[in-house]
Amino acid sequence: DSIPLSYGYYGILGIPSPANNPPALYEAANWTDANGNFWLFGGVHYSNFNMYADLWKYTVATNQWTWVKGPGLVNQPGIYGIQGISSSANNPGARAWGAATWVDPEGNLWLFGGSGIDHSGNQGRLNDLWKYDVVTNQWSWIKGANTINGPSDYGLLRTESPSNQIPARDESSCTWTINNEFWIFGGVTNSGLFNDLWRYNWFTNNWTWMKGGEQLNQSPHHGMIGVADEFNDPGGRFAYCSWLNCETNLLFFGGENSKTYNDLWLFNRATNYWTWIDGSSNPNPDGNPGEYCEEGENFNPAGRTENRARWRDEKGNLWLFGGFKMGAPVSIYSDLWRYNPGTRNWALINGTILSNREGQYGTQSVAASTNIPRSRGGAVSWMDTDGNFWMFGGLTIEEDAGGYPFVTMNDLWQYQPDEVCFNGTACDLSIVPEINVSDSALCTGQCIDFIAQSSISEMSYYWNFEGAVPDTSTQLFPEGICYLQPGNFDVRLISSREDLSDTLILYDYIHVYDFPDTPSITITGNLLSGTSSVFYQWQLNGINIPGATNQQFTAHESGNYTIVTTNKGGCWREITISLELTPEQESSEWIIINPTLTLQAITIVISGNHENDGVTVNIFNVLGQQIYNYHEKNSSATFKKEVDLSMLPAGIYFALVTAGSLSRLEKIVLAR
């Protein structure tokens, strides 16, 4: 709608329709799925500050919204279910105010925190982490508390641990996704502003505190513009906008800490350093535009917050629209800016730097040079597969200033960038190459090769390999770098060309592990027992025995038995014995559950004299809850069954199989 405070039209749950529209929302959560569909969850309506818990999908090709999931009622508590278990009944509580979102490599949608309603109906800041499976249409509560202001645990800096837990927060809605890593910075808690940077690994289900401090309300420390330094820090702030640059470093712009900023920051994941790369270090700066599409080192947007409508085009340009400038009265913008990381210059592309504009809607679905959205902040944004920008909703100024001045919108806009305005590459001109290594985890005495991937000619390189022999090199591709002692070691690379020099430091990049002690085997009848280790693999006559990955193994035939023991670093030792069984000890009865590390299924094989015996298969989660049960009467000499686990979330499970007098229990690690 072109008028504020629409309540939308839900239609029928799960059915798309041209008439469907979400309500007018501020600070909803948003995603783009693997098929290019746009998703929307929650948000707040400014007529009475009601929050929503509904999930919407917009299909670009049909121009239709679908109410996909959720109660269709306001201010509903969360239905958490069992942590780690998806269910059709699960649903995050109503929330808004900058919940964080990511999309994992499998296309699942992730939601964290924000200000909302917990399982008991209490309203406040949250630290719950949710996953939505687009295929099954089910939510899973993955991590964090089901109550407001849940407990937190920073753990050790840059140390991943299952016990780490990010504090509850809101206003940190602009995030970064890199492969299996989700990153989040800053935000607001009950006592002030965060400046901490966290990483979540969706594969291991662990948080890691990466940068910043536990102290709140820290002031920015900009350092020197363009110079990385361990002491640089954006300070506590919230409601900024974020991008990934061409080198997958983290970028964010603006935000506020009771004052607004227009500074642009870069975080290098390899060095763990912040760099202030553009804008002013002073709060509340005014903007300075040139002509439309004109780049220049003196051109900058005004300081702003809630400018979360942002995009990165195919050439690497960074774009932003609107936002607020704090003050009395508040200024709300409708300007569209582009930042070129290659030249490190801003350009005003569309709109106006004047604030609190009503906008020009034109004719719906018809592009026109005179069209411009109303001034707004807290909108959500997407980019379609053709490179067009999309924007929905947000907060704007009411035309009738006699009432409450702020209102929410539910209008959806599309913008097509003009290639005539810019037709070059916008990737950063840094001369630091990326580093690849043949293996970053190795055992004492092993050697590896390094590669500096650089497309820049006439470069010189100086490597320093902490703890290695040799410990330096000037080659582009150093080979035969050997590590003789266990430990975690840094790698430093200095790249130089004429009067330019950049340094890349990868802290604790190489992990060297000791070999375990040589194992021994104890024989008790036909029971073989190895010495204690982390991982085991038994072999018969040099061939792995499927499923024989425990410390003990019952032998059923004569031969040469080997146990291979492996520590956490992947370093292994082995020992072999020759075993001669008596005819009474030999047996053809066994149960195999294979594999124990799987993506979606396990296979159970039972051999022996168990015809007409009942076979039972039970699978339990780590809480001891039975999640699968199967029973049948075996009618053949060999029983074989495949169990599909693809509908379960990643995690640890236990499979218990019984057949007559035989039984076997295996730990199953389900990976995604």
Side-chain angles (χ1 to χ4, degrees), residues 378-440:
V380 297
S381 57
W382 306 273
M383 189 168 76
D384 65 27
T385 55
D386 294 325
N388 300 311
F389 305 158
W390 295 72
M391 179 175 66
F392 171 85
L395 194 69
T396 186
I397 292 286
E398 172 61 88
E399 296 176 18
D400 178 10
Y404 190 78
F406 298 123
V407 290
T408 44
M409 303 294 300
N410 76 337
D411 49 349
L412 180 66
W413 289 81
Q414 182 204 67
Y415 177 80
Q416 183 177 358
D418 183 1
E419 292 189 358
V420 175
C421 183
F422 181 82
N423 197 27
T425 179
C427 289
D428 202 322
L429 299 180
S430 169
I431 64 172
V432 175
E434 290 190 10
I435 290 178
N436 282 340
V437 64
S438 56
D439 194 355
S440 61

Coordinates of all heavy atoms in Angstrom, one line a residue, residues 378-440:
G378 N 14.9 1.2 8.8 CA 14.4 -0.1 9.3 C 13.7 -0.9 8.3 O 12.9 -1.8 8.6
A379 N 13.9 -0.6 7.0 CA 13.3 -1.5 5.9 C 14.1 -2.7 5.8 O 15.2 -2.9 6.3 CB 13.3 -0.7 4.6
V380 N 13.6 -3.7 5.0 CA 14.3 -4.9 4.7 C 14.6 -4.9 3.2 O 13.9 -4.2 2.4 CB 13.6 -6.2 5.1 CG1 13.5 -6.2 6.6 CG2 12.3 -6.3 4.4
S381 N 15.6 -5.7 2.7 CA 16.0 -5.6 1.3 C 16.4 -7.0 0.8 O 16.9 -7.8 1.6 CB 17.1 -4.6 1.1 OG 18.2 -4.9 2.0
W382 N 16.3 -7.1 -0.5 CA 16.8 -8.4 -1.1 C 17.4 -8.0 -2.5 O 17.2 -6.9 -3.0 CB 15.6 -9.3 -1.4 CG 14.8 -9.7 -0.2 CD1 15.0 -10.7 0.6 CD2 13.5 -9.1 0.2 NE1 14.0 -10.8 1.6 CE2 13.1 -9.8 1.3 CE3 12.8 -8.0 -0.3 CZ2 11.9 -9.4 2.0 CZ3 11.6 -7.6 0.4 CH2 11.2 -8.4 1.5
M383 N 18.0 -8.9 -3.2 CA 18.4 -8.8 -4.6 C 18.0 -10.0 -5.3 O 18.2 -11.1 -4.9 CB 20.0 -8.6 -4.7 CG 20.4 -8.2 -6.1 SD 22.1 -7.6 -6.2 CE 23.0 -9.2 -6.1
D384 N 17.4 -9.8 -6.5 CA 16.9 -11.0 -7.3 C 18.0 -11.5 -8.2 O 19.1 -11.0 -8.2 CB 15.7 -10.6 -8.1 CG 15.9 -9.5 -9.1 OD1 17.0 -9.4 -9.7 OD2 14.9 -8.8 -9.5
T385 N 17.7 -12.6 -8.9 CA 18.7 -13.3 -9.7 C 19.1 -12.5 -10.9 O 20.1 -12.8 -11.6 CB 18.2 -14.6 -10.2 OG1 16.9 -14.4 -10.8 CG2 18.0 -15.6 -9.0
D386 N 18.4 -11.4 -11.3 CA 18.8 -10.5 -12.4 C 19.5 -9.3 -11.9 O 19.9 -8.4 -12.7 CB 17.5 -10.0 -13.1 CG 16.8 -11.2 -13.8 OD1 17.5 -12.1 -14.3 OD2 15.5 -11.2 -13.9
G387 N 19.9 -9.2 -10.6 CA 20.6 -8.1 -10.1 C 19.8 -6.9 -9.7 O 20.4 -5.8 -9.5
N388 N 18.5 -7.0 -9.7 CA 17.7 -5.9 -9.3 C 17.6 -5.8 -7.8 O 17.6 -6.9 -7.1 CB 16.2 -6.0 -9.9 CG 16.2 -6.0 -11.4 OD1 16.9 -5.2 -12.0 ND2 15.6 -7.0 -12.0
F389 N 17.4 -4.6 -7.2 CA 17.3 -4.4 -5.8 C 15.8 -4.3 -5.4 O 15.0 -3.8 -6.1 CB 18.0 -3.1 -5.4 CG 19.4 -3.0 -5.8 CD1 20.0 -1.7 -5.9 CD2 20.2 -4.1 -6.1 CE1 21.4 -1.6 -6.2 CE2 21.5 -4.0 -6.4 CZ 22.1 -2.7 -6.5
W390 N 15.5 -4.9 -4.2 CA 14.2 -4.9 -3.7 C 14.2 -4.4 -2.3 O 15.1 -4.6 -1.5 CB 13.5 -6.3 -3.8 CG 13.4 -6.8 -5.1 CD1 14.3 -7.3 -6.0 CD2 12.1 -7.0 -5.8 NE1 13.8 -7.7 -7.2 CE2 12.4 -7.6 -7.1 CE3 10.8 -6.8 -5.5 CZ2 11.4 -7.9 -8.0 CZ3 9.8 -7.1 -6.4 CH2 10.1 -7.6 -7.7
M391 N 13.1 -3.7 -1.9 CA 13.0 -3.1 -0.6 C 11.5 -3.1 -0.1 O 10.6 -2.9 -0.9 CB 13.5 -1.6 -0.6 CG 13.4 -0.9 0.8 SD 14.2 0.7 0.7 CE 13.0 1.5 -0.4
F392 N 11.3 -3.5 1.2 CA 10.0 -3.6 1.7 C 9.9 -2.9 3.1 O 10.7 -3.0 3.9 CB 9.6 -5.1 2.0 CG 8.3 -5.3 2.7 CD1 7.1 -5.2 2.1 CD2 8.3 -5.4 4.1 CE1 5.9 -5.4 2.8 CE2 7.2 -5.6 4.8 CZ 5.9 -5.6 4.2
G393 N 8.8 -2.1 3.2 CA 8.4 -1.6 4.5 C 9.3 -0.6 5.2 O 10.1 0.1 4.5
G394 N 9.3 -0.6 6.5 CA 10.1 0.3 7.3 C 9.3 1.4 7.9 O 8.1 1.4 7.9
L395 N 10.0 2.3 8.6 CA 9.4 3.4 9.4 C 9.6 4.7 8.6 O 10.7 5.0 8.1 CB 10.1 3.4 10.7 CG 9.4 4.3 11.8 CD1 8.2 3.6 12.3 CD2 10.4 4.4 13.0
T396 N 8.6 5.5 8.6 CA 8.6 6.8 7.9 C 7.9 7.9 8.8 O 7.4 7.6 9.9 CB 8.0 6.7 6.5 OG1 8.3 8.0 5.8 CG2 6.5 6.4 6.6
I397 N 7.8 9.1 8.3 CA 7.2 10.2 9.0 C 5.7 10.3 8.5 O 5.4 10.2 7.3 CB 7.9 11.5 8.7 CG1 9.3 11.5 9.3 CG2 7.1 12.7 9.2 CD1 9.3 11.7 10.8
E398 N 4.8 10.4 9.5 CA 3.4 10.6 9.2 C 3.2 12.0 8.5 O 3.8 13.0 8.9 CB 2.6 10.5 10.4 CG 1.1 10.8 10.3 CD 0.4 9.9 9.3 OE1 -0.1 8.8 9.8 OE2 0.3 10.2 8.2
E399 N 2.3 12.0 7.5 CA 2.0 13.3 6.8 C 1.3 14.2 7.8 O 1.6 15.4 7.8 CB 1.2 13.0 5.6 CG 1.9 12.2 4.5 CD 1.0 11.9 3.3 OE1 -0.1 12.6 3.2 OE2 1.3 11.0 2.6
D400 N 0.5 13.7 8.6 CA -0.3 14.5 9.6 C 0.6 14.5 10.9 O 0.5 13.6 11.7 CB -1.6 13.9 9.8 CG -2.4 14.7 10.9 OD1 -1.9 15.8 11.3 OD2 -3.5 14.2 11.4
A401 N 1.3 15.6 11.0 CA 2.2 15.7 12.2 C 1.5 15.9 13.5 O 2.1 16.0 14.6 CB 3.3 16.8 12.0
G402 N 0.2 16.1 13.5 CA -0.6 16.3 14.7 C -0.7 15.1 15.5 O -0.9 15.1 16.7
G403 N -0.5 13.9 14.9 CA -0.6 12.6 15.7 C 0.9 12.2 16.0 O 1.8 12.9 15.9
Y404 N 1.0 10.9 16.3 CA 2.3 10.3 16.6 C 3.1 10.4 15.3 O 2.6 10.0 14.2 CB 2.2 8.9 17.1 CG 3.5 8.3 17.5 CD1 4.0 8.7 18.8 CD2 4.3 7.5 16.8 CE1 5.2 8.2 19.3 CE2 5.5 7.0 17.2 CZ 5.9 7.4 18.5 OH 7.2 6.9 18.9
P405 N 4.3 10.9 15.3 CA 5.0 11.3 14.0 C 5.5 10.1 13.2 O 5.7 10.2 12.0 CB 6.1 12.1 14.4 CG 6.4 11.7 15.9 CD 5.1 11.3 16.4
F406 N 5.6 8.9 13.8 CA 6.2 7.8 13.0 C 5.1 6.8 12.6 O 4.3 6.4 13.5 CB 7.3 7.1 13.8 CG 8.5 8.0 14.1 CD1 8.9 8.2 15.4 CD2 9.1 8.6 13.1 CE1 9.9 9.0 15.7 CE2 10.2 9.5 13.4 CZ 10.6 9.6 14.7
V407 N 5.2 6.2 11.4 CA 4.3 5.2 10.9 C 5.1 4.2 10.1 O 6.2 4.4 9.7 CB 3.2 5.8 10.1 CG1 2.2 6.7 10.9 CG2 3.8 6.6 8.9
T408 N 4.5 3.0 10.0 CA 5.1 1.9 9.3 C 4.4 1.7 7.9 O 3.3 2.0 7.7 CB 5.1 0.6 10.1 OG1 3.8 0.4 10.7 CG2 6.1 0.6 11.2
M409 N 5.2 1.1 7.0 CA 4.7 0.9 5.6 C 4.8 -0.6 5.3 O 5.5 -1.4 5.9 CB 5.6 1.7 4.6 CG 5.7 3.1 4.9 SD 4.1 4.0 4.6 CE 3.8 3.6 2.9
N410 N 4.0 -1.0 4.2 CA 4.2 -2.4 3.7 C 4.3 -2.3 2.2 O 3.9 -3.2 1.5 CB 3.0 -3.3 4.1 CG 1.7 -3.0 3.3 OD1 1.5 -1.9 2.8 ND2 0.8 -3.9 3.2
D411 N 4.9 -1.2 1.6 CA 5.1 -1.1 0.2 C 6.4 -1.8 -0.2 O 7.4 -1.9 0.5 CB 5.1 0.4 -0.2 CG 6.1 1.2 0.6 OD1 6.6 0.7 1.7 OD2 6.4 2.3 0.2
L412 N 6.3 -2.5 -1.4 CA 7.4 -3.2 -2.0 C 7.9 -2.5 -3.2 O 7.1 -2.3 -4.1 CB 7.0 -4.7 -2.3 CG 8.0 -5.6 -2.9 CD1 9.1 -5.9 -1.9 CD2 7.3 -6.9 -3.3
W413 N 9.2 -2.3 -3.3 CA 9.8 -1.5 -4.4 C 10.9 -2.3 -5.1 O 11.6 -3.2 -4.4 CB 10.4 -0.2 -3.9 CG 9.5 0.8 -3.5 CD1 8.8 0.9 -2.3 CD2 9.0 2.0 -4.2 NE1 8.0 2.0 -2.2 CE2 8.1 2.7 -3.4 CE3 9.3 2.5 -5.5 CZ2 7.5 3.9 -3.8 CZ3 8.7 3.6 -5.9 CH2 7.8 4.3 -5.1
Q414 N 11.1 -2.1 -6.4 CA 12.2 -2.7 -7.1 C 13.0 -1.6 -7.8 O 12.4 -0.6 -8.3 CB 11.7 -3.6 -8.2 CG 12.8 -4.3 -9.0 CD 12.3 -4.8 -10.4 OE1 12.0 -3.9 -11.2 NE2 12.2 -6.1 -10.6
Y415 N 14.3 -1.7 -7.7 CA 15.2 -0.8 -8.4 C 16.2 -1.5 -9.3 O 16.8 -2.5 -8.9 CB 16.0 0.0 -7.3 CG 17.0 1.0 -8.0 CD1 16.6 2.2 -8.5 CD2 18.4 0.7 -8.1 CE1 17.5 3.1 -9.0 CE2 19.3 1.6 -8.7 CZ 18.8 2.8 -9.1 OH 19.7 3.7 -9.7
Q416 N 16.3 -1.0 -10.5 CA 17.2 -1.6 -11.5 C 18.4 -0.7 -11.7 O 18.3 0.4 -12.2 CB 16.6 -1.9 -12.9 CG 17.5 -2.5 -13.9 CD 16.8 -2.8 -15.2 OE1 15.6 -2.5 -15.3 NE2 17.5 -3.4 -16.1
P417 N 19.6 -1.1 -11.3 CA 20.8 -0.3 -11.4 C 21.1 0.0 -12.9 O 20.9 -0.8 -13.8 CB 22.0 -1.1 -10.8 CG 21.3 -2.1 -9.9 CD 20.0 -2.4 -10.6
D418 N 21.6 1.2 -13.1 CA 21.9 1.7 -14.4 C 23.4 1.4 -14.7 O 24.3 2.0 -14.1 CB 21.6 3.2 -14.5 CG 21.9 3.8 -15.9 OD1 22.2 3.0 -16.8 OD2 21.7 5.0 -16.1
E419 N 23.7 0.5 -15.7 CA 25.0 0.2 -16.1 C 25.8 1.4 -16.7 O 27.0 1.4 -16.6 CB 25.1 -1.0 -17.0 CG 24.6 -2.3 -16.4 CD 24.9 -3.5 -17.2 OE1 25.4 -3.3 -18.4 OE2 24.6 -4.6 -16.8
V420 N 25.1 2.3 -17.3 CA 25.7 3.5 -17.8 C 26.4 4.3 -16.7 O 27.4 4.9 -16.9 CB 24.7 4.3 -18.6 CG1 25.4 5.6 -19.1 CG2 24.2 3.5 -19.8
C421 N 25.8 4.3 -15.5 CA 26.3 5.0 -14.4 C 27.6 4.5 -13.9 O 28.5 5.2 -13.5 CB 25.2 5.0 -13.2 SG 25.7 5.9 -11.8
F422 N 27.8 3.2 -14.0 CA 29.1 2.6 -13.6 C 29.2 1.2 -14.3 O 28.4 0.4 -14.3 CB 29.1 2.3 -12.1 CG 30.4 1.7 -11.6 CD1 31.5 2.6 -11.5 CD2 30.6 0.4 -11.5 CE1 32.7 2.0 -11.1 CE2 31.8 -0.2 -11.1 CZ 32.9 0.7 -10.9
N423 N 30.4 1.1 -15.0 CA 30.5 -0.1 -15.8 C 31.9 -0.7 -15.6 O 32.5 -1.3 -16.6 CB 30.3 0.2 -17.3 CG 30.0 -1.1 -18.1 OD1 29.6 -2.1 -17.5 ND2 30.3 -1.0 -19.4
G424 N 32.5 -0.6 -14.5 CA 33.9 -1.1 -14.2 C 33.8 -2.2 -13.1 O 32.8 -2.7 -12.7
T425 N 35.0 -2.5 -12.6 CA 35.1 -3.4 -11.5 C 35.3 -2.6 -10.2 O 35.9 -1.6 -10.2 CB 36.3 -4.4 -11.6 OG1 36.3 -5.3 -10.5 CG2 37.6 -3.7 -11.7
A426 N 34.6 -3.1 -9.2 CA 34.7 -2.4 -7.9 C 35.4 -3.1 -6.8 O 35.3 -2.8 -5.7 CB 33.3 -2.1 -7.4
C427 N 36.2 -4.2 -7.2 CA 36.9 -5.0 -6.2 C 38.0 -4.2 -5.6 O 38.6 -3.4 -6.3 CB 37.3 -6.3 -6.8 SG 36.0 -7.4 -7.1
D428 N 38.3 -4.4 -4.3 CA 39.3 -3.7 -3.6 C 40.7 -3.9 -4.3 O 41.0 -4.9 -4.8 CB 39.4 -4.2 -2.2 CG 40.0 -3.2 -1.2 OD1 40.9 -2.5 -1.6 OD2 39.5 -3.1 -0.1
L429 N 41.5 -2.8 -4.3 CA 42.8 -2.8 -4.9 C 43.9 -3.2 -4.0 O 45.1 -2.9 -4.2 CB 43.1 -1.4 -5.4 CG 42.1 -0.9 -6.5 CD1 42.5 0.5 -7.0 CD2 42.0 -1.8 -7.7
S430 N 43.6 -3.8 -2.9 CA 44.6 -4.3 -1.9 C 45.5 -5.2 -2.6 O 45.2 -6.0 -3.5 CB 43.9 -5.0 -0.7 OG 44.9 -5.7 0.0
I431 N 46.8 -5.2 -2.2 CA 47.8 -6.1 -2.9 C 48.1 -7.3 -2.0 O 49.0 -8.1 -2.4 CB 49.1 -5.3 -3.2 CG1 49.8 -4.8 -1.9 CG2 48.9 -4.1 -4.1 CD1 51.2 -4.3 -2.1
V432 N 47.4 -7.5 -1.0 CA 47.6 -8.7 -0.1 C 47.0 -9.9 -0.9 O 45.8 -9.9 -1.1 CB 47.0 -8.5 1.3 CG1 47.1 -9.8 2.0 CG2 47.7 -7.4 2.0
P433 N 47.7 -10.9 -1.2 CA 47.2 -12.1 -1.8 C 46.5 -13.0 -0.8 O 46.7 -12.9 0.4 CB 48.4 -12.8 -2.4 CG 49.5 -12.5 -1.5 CD 49.2 -11.1 -1.0
E434 N 45.6 -13.9 -1.3 CA 45.1 -14.9 -0.5 C 46.1 -16.1 -0.4 O 46.9 -16.3 -1.3 CB 43.8 -15.5 -1.0 CG 42.6 -14.5 -0.9 CD 41.3 -15.1 -1.3 OE1 41.3 -16.4 -1.4 OE2 40.3 -14.4 -1.4
I435 N 46.0 -16.8 0.8 CA 47.0 -17.9 1.0 C 46.2 -19.2 1.0 O 45.1 -19.3 1.7 CB 47.7 -17.7 2.4 CG1 48.7 -16.5 2.3 CG2 48.4 -19.0 2.8 CD1 49.4 -16.3 3.6
N436 N 46.7 -20.1 0.3 CA 46.2 -21.5 0.4 C 47.4 -22.4 0.9 O 48.6 -22.1 0.7 CB 45.7 -22.0 -0.9 CG 44.3 -21.5 -1.3 OD1 43.6 -21.1 -0.4 ND2 44.0 -21.5 -2.5
V437 N 47.0 -23.5 1.5 CA 48.1 -24.4 2.1 C 47.6 -25.8 1.8 O 46.4 -26.1 1.8 CB 48.3 -24.1 3.6 CG1 47.0 -24.4 4.4 CG2 49.4 -24.9 4.1
S438 N 48.6 -26.7 1.6 CA 48.2 -28.1 1.2 C 47.5 -28.8 2.4 O 46.7 -29.7 2.2 CB 49.5 -28.9 0.8 OG 50.5 -28.8 1.8
D439 N 47.8 -28.4 3.6 CA 47.1 -28.9 4.8 C 47.5 -28.1 6.0 O 48.7 -27.8 6.2 CB 47.6 -30.4 5.1 CG 46.7 -31.1 6.1 OD1 45.8 -30.4 6.6 OD2 46.8 -32.3 6.3
S440 N 46.5 -27.6 6.7 CA 46.8 -26.7 7.9 C 46.8 -27.5 9.2 O 47.2 -27.0 10.2 CB 45.7 -25.6 8.0 OG 44.4 -26.2 8.2

